[in-house]
Structures are given as C-alpha cells and as structure tokens.
Amino acid sequence: MSHVIEIVEVGPRDGLQNEKAILEAADKVDFIRRLEACGARRIEAVSFVNERRVPQMGGAEAIMAELPRAEGRLRIGLVLNERGWDRAVAAKVDEANVVVCATDGFGIRNQGASVADQMAALAAIVGRQKAEGGPPISVTFSVAFGCPFDGEVSEDQVAALAREAGALGVAEIALGDTIGVADPWTVRRRIEAVREAAPDARLRMHFHDTRNTGLANAFASVEAGVRVLDASCGGLGGCPFAPAATGNIATEDLVYMLSRAGYETGYDIGALIETGRWIGERIGKPPVSALSRAGGFPA
C-alpha cells in the first residue's frame, strides 16, 4: 500500500471564489507562492469563468503570466466550456480541470448548461486536446453526492457520467461533494461504483466540510484506496451558486490527520497554519481550520 497521499491545494480557486473580498492578482500570486513554499506541488490556481458572474476569479491570465513554469509544480486552471479551454491553452496552464455538474438543476444555475450539454463540451475539449495539443485534462463532477436544487444524486447518475468520461480517455476523475452532504459509507460505495464504471481513471475526491463530515469522508476515501484529495488552506471555500455551502476541508487539518497515521504529503504543517492566517488577514476573515486554533501536536 502506498503511503504517499497527493493533496491538491484548491485555496486560490475554490477557496477564494465564495469570499466577499476580491483580491488583486498580485495577492493571489503571493498566495500561490506561499502555498508552494508550504509544499504544494499541484495547485488549482485560476478559473477561466465569466468574471462578471464570479468577480473573485478575475485576473487569471495575469496570474499565470506571473507564474513561470517550474519543475515538479502543476498550476491547474478550471474550465467550463470551450471558451475556457481556449483561455487555458493561451495562458499555458499545466493542467485543465473541466467541471461538469452531476445534475441539470445545478448545471443550469451554475453554468447555464444541462448535464448533456456539459458532457458534450467535455467531449469537444478532449477531442481538441488530442487533435491540437494542450494541457492534460481532468474532470470534476460537482454535486456528486447531493444537489441543493434537485436533491439526492444517485449512484447510477454518477457512475454513468464516470463511464462516459472514462470512455473519452480522461485520466483523472474527481467526485465533488460541493454542498457537503456526503457521509463515509456513501463515499465508499460511490468510489466502488466509479471504479467499476471507469477502471482506467485515477480517482480524486473533493469534500466540503459544511456538515462537519469532511475529514471523515477523506478518511473513508483513503481507506478505499484513493490517493489524491483536494483541500484548501485555512478551510477557505464554498460555491457562490450553492446556498449555505461552506469551505473545503482545511489542508492543514488533513495533513495533520494523514501525517499522524504515517502518510507522506510533502507539506509543512507550521507553514500551512501561518499561510492560512495570512490569507485570512487579506480577506478579512480568520481561518476556520482546527489547527489554526489548536496548532499541531503539542511540543
């Protein structure tokens, strides 16, 4: 069994997108560099979305221009459609993460597109990447455990989407608990279903801690053999189109739990705590992570 867990740091994108404060591009670049100094090697850095709808995500091109390619560091750009793909390619991101909502209710409100339309966009992007080149593509299925508009999301729904993505040759599939409703038992069953539907794809899990189950769900994922997890420094995050959605699981809390169990993540807990406090000052909101209050293991 591998004792290395890859933590994808999503603070600069998912962490900031729901905050009232709108940071300048220079502050976001500083945040990314601080996170890399903490040990982050794969960061969701920017989002190529409509800045009028999500002004917190403005300046994607300027941010990428300030982050020259670096060995062993991947800066991910979030993409919703072919327009976003064109911007991601031009900005020279290291990876494009295409987000597809698992329900029509959320997709229409969040992206103005049905599930079928979003899957067609994913297929078009994958086809263009194969024909024209461009960064590697991963896909995140948001609201994969429950939707604020359509309610319960079935295992069959998620498995069908994963099967389609797997058939397209997408190398990594992430399941997002966008509104924080998952439980560890459902997580394990959903992982098994997606593995069966897309056996060649690597799985990544993305949890929000809205109902205090985020770390339990991360634990269930690791026990089920998942070796890639998303987290956000300070516990920042939420979705502007998901009512009452709160932050992602905090990177420092996840690193603490995993390191106590003997897993290697490559992150520095003390530096993460300090970076969480730093970004909290920038946005005028203290970090919500447990370690920002309690610190690491007592000296």
Side-chain angles (χ1 to χ4, degrees):
M1 183 181 72
S2 171
H3 273 72
V4 175
I5 302 290
E6 179 182 25
I7 298 177
V8 180
E9 172 57 54
V10 301
R13 200 283 300 177
D14 202 12
L16 294 179
Q17 75 170 5
N18 202 41
E19 298 299 333
K20 292 180 181 178
I22 298 176
L23 298 183
E24 297 294 328
D27 284 326
K28 296 176 189 175
V29 170
D30 195 359
F31 187 26
I32 292 166
R33 286 178 170 153
R34 286 171 184 261
L35 289 166
E36 290 182 338
C38 293
R41 291 297 175 263
R42 192 175 172 205
I43 296 181
E44 201 172 60
V46 293
S47 180
F48 297 100
V49 295
N50 187 329
E51 295 180 15
R52 291 190 299 275
R53 294 194 76 200
V54 191
Q56 293 90 337
M57 292 291 97
E61 283 82 1
I63 292 166
M64 287 305 303
E66 290 296 317
L67 294 170
R69 289 185 182 274
E71 186 69 28
R73 297 183 181 183
L74 299 174
R75 285 72 175 252
I76 303 169
L78 181 141
V79 169
L80 302 181
N81 48 43
E82 288 190 76
R83 290 190 305 277
W85 169 253
D86 289 335
R87 291 177 62 193
V89 171
K92 295 183 171 60
V93 297
D94 300 302
E95 177 187 332
N97 181 37
V98 182
V99 175
V100 172
C101 305
T103 66
D104 285 333
F106 199 78
I108 289 166
R109 287 169 176 82
N110 186 50
Q111 297 176 206
S114 67
V115 176
D117 288 341
Q118 292 172 71
M119 289 303 290
L122 173 64
I125 290 167
V126 170
R128 289 184 57 188
Q129 194 262 0
K130 290 177 179 176
E132 304 164 7
I137 294 168
S138 59
V139 63
T140 294
F141 292 116
S142 64
V143 293
F145 295 89
C147 173
F149 310 110
D150 290 3
E152 296 286 351
V153 175
S154 74
E155 205 164 272
D156 289 344
Q157 280 175 265
V158 177
L161 292 172
R163 187 173 296 110
E164 195 171 340
L168 289 171
V170 176
E172 183 182 82
I173 295 171
L175 303 184
D177 185 19
T178 311
I179 61 170
V181 292
D183 64 83
W185 297 271
T186 301
V187 166
R188 291 197 67 141
R189 288 194 300 270
R190 206 137 296 192
I191 288 169
E192 291 168 5
V194 170
R195 277 211 182 103
E196 185 176 339
D200 296 329
R202 180 170 62 166
L203 285 189
R204 174 165 54 89
M205 304 301 286
H206 177 105
F207 297 114
H208 286 244
D209 204 30
T210 312
R211 291 167 180 83
N212 203 34
T213 56
L215 281 179
N217 292 332
F219 167 78
S221 301
V222 172
E223 289 288 285
V226 171
R227 291 296 177 265
V228 191
L229 298 165
D230 288 355
S232 173
C233 183
L236 293 174
C239 177
F241 305 104
T246 52
N248 300 266
I249 53 176
T251 310
E252 53 268 45
D253 294 352
L254 180 60
V255 169
Y256 175 81
M257 181 180 77
L258 293 172
S259 65
R260 292 293 295 169
Y263 289 98
E264 298 175 16
T265 65
Y267 281 81
D268 180 318
I269 288 177
L272 280 170
I273 293 170
E274 288 307 310
T275 299
R277 290 171 178 163
W278 175 86
I279 191 63
E281 291 172 0
R282 289 296 178 280
I283 64 174
K285 178 180 172 182
V288 297
S289 66
L291 263 72
S292 68
R293 299 187 299 273
F297 192 85

